[in-house]
Amino acid sequence: MSAQSSLFSRASAEVVDLHRFFVDWFVEARADAVDFSRFERVMGEGLSMIAPSGMILDRDAVIGHVRESRATCDDGFAISIEDIRPGWQTADTIVVLYVEAQQRGGKHSRRQSSAVFTISSSAPNGVEWRHLHETWLQVPEG
């Protein structure tokens, strides 16, 4: 396996694992068993996020928003990751493209995401998030 495909494998695993974390953290019945430090460890220093609304968030704002959203969903909340594929990459950095589909309160939404990852030996999957850009694929339901 080449270093580049290995980097894509680690970044892909991180995308899937982080969204599993979100479901566990946001679902009230599961939130008490979740280690929030896992999330903080993978958010790289200098992280930036462009939310689907166009708002630009720094690392502290992203972490604060996720922390405050703990246990805010019922058991019907779900996230699936679709169409994950590599974009531009070097030996230690990769852009990963994917679609995030959510179900919340009986409503469905989908967003196209692109995420930049760099290698990090201290992160669970060996990569940390450096930048995330999300774009609605449809107007979100009310």
Side-chain angles (χ1 to χ4, degrees), residues 9-88:
S9 296
R10 290 181 297 198
S12 297
E14 176 55 33
V15 168
V16 171
D17 289 353
L18 188 71
H19 287 85
R20 284 184 190 139
F21 161 86
F22 287 146
V23 171
D24 291 343
W25 181 254
F26 295 150
V27 171
E28 185 175 13
R30 299 188 217 169
D32 286 342
V34 180
D35 177 10
F36 191 76
S37 70
R38 188 263 186 244
F39 176 69
E40 292 175 303
R41 283 195 320 271
V42 297
M43 296 293 107
E45 289 302 318
L47 171 85
S48 60
M49 175 184 176
I50 302 173
S53 66
M55 181 178 289
I56 300 172
L57 306 169
D58 65 11
R59 182 180 187 273
D60 290 343
V62 171
I63 289 173
H65 173 73
V66 172
R67 181 179 280 121
E68 292 166 7
S69 299
R70 180 186 170 280
T72 56
C73 296
D74 63 25
D75 285 336
F77 178 65
I79 299 175
S80 62
I81 301 300
E82 305 166 355
D83 196 25
I84 193 164
R85 60 194 185 280
W88 174 88

Side-chain angles (χ1 to χ4, degrees), residues 3 6-8 10-11 14 37-45 59 90-94 116-130:
S6 176
L7 182 55
F8 175 62
R10 290 181 297 198
E14 176 55 33
S37 70
R38 188 263 186 244
F39 176 69
E40 292 175 303
R41 283 195 320 271
V42 297
M43 296 293 107
E45 289 302 318
R59 182 180 187 273
T90 66
D92 63 356
T93 304
I94 187 168
V116 177
F117 295 91
T118 56
I119 291 174
S120 171
S121 61
S122 64
N125 287 306
V127 294
E128 62 184 11
W129 297 74
R130 304 303 299 211

Side-chain angles (χ1 to χ4, degrees), residues 82 98-100 109-113 135-140:
E82 305 166 355
Y98 61 93
V99 173
E100 177 185 338
S109 66
R110 292 168 47 86
R111 58 190 85 182
Q112 178 66 59
S113 300
T135 302
W136 291 122
L137 290 176
Q138 85 289 329
V139 176

